Amino acid sequence: HEEKTYYVHQSLLTTASKYFQAALERDFIEAHEKKIQLPDVDTEIFDIFVDWLYSSKLEAIDTNLKETYIFADGHEVPVLGRTVLDATFRILNRPSMPTFRAIAYLYARLPAQSPYLRLVVD
């Protein structure tokens, strides 16, 4: 997938995420270099995250919400996770149901007690 360099204010990252706080404020090489490699994160999802960091608005479309939640869960960004839950709740109030494939995908990538997973299944 595409490789991209981002320049993000450290204070925004460390305030929003325990993952980034640990990486940038503890005695890790990332803290000294002020650089973090995220090879498993799709740039489209990280774009959504960075836009959210600076605007507090979620620009994810329906198809990106599950990936955005998985990112938020894995990188300890609880406020983004709650924002995705709210957006997903609004979408799930529409007459259509999530597909079995979408639910199986989430089960494979999130903890069983994940609020997002429980919301979609319920």
Side-chain angles (χ1 to χ4, degrees):
H1 69 225
E2 177 187 359
E3 190 173 304
K4 193 171 177 181
T5 300
Y6 294 84
Y7 298 92
V8 181
H9 289 91
Q10 181 175 332
S11 61
L12 287 174
L13 286 171
T14 58
T15 300
S17 165
K18 290 181 181 179
Y19 174 91
F20 291 110
Q21 181 181 38
L24 294 169
E25 293 181 352
R26 294 194 183 146
D27 196 24
F28 295 124
I29 194 163
E30 291 88 353
H32 296 290
E33 293 181 356
K34 301 294 183 201
K35 185 177 181 180
I36 299 173
Q37 297 287 325
L38 300 170
D40 296 332
V41 176
D42 187 284
T43 56
E44 187 175 343
I45 301 306
F46 202 76
D47 287 341
I48 292 167
F49 170 61
V50 171
D51 288 344
W52 173 82
L53 272 178
Y54 283 95
S55 71
S56 297
K57 294 180 183 168
L58 185 62
E59 300 297 329
I61 57 173
D62 295 3
T63 57
N64 290 10
L65 285 173
K66 65 181 176 284
E67 294 297 334
T68 303
Y69 187 86
I70 290 166
F71 170 84
D73 183 68
H75 293 86
E76 301 178 88
V77 190
V79 177
L80 176 58
R82 284 192 298 278
T83 303
V84 173
L85 282 172
D86 291 343
T88 303
F89 183 76
R90 285 191 300 275
I91 290 166
L92 291 176
N93 276 327
R94 296 178 190 165
S96 64
M97 296 286 290
T99 65
F100 172 77
R101 187 178 196 170
I103 292 170
Y105 179 84
L106 292 172
Y107 266 107
R109 287 165 180 77
L110 290 171
Q113 295 304 313
S114 165
Y116 187 83
L117 180 60
R118 291 189 346 238
L119 173 65
V120 171
V121 171
D122 288 348

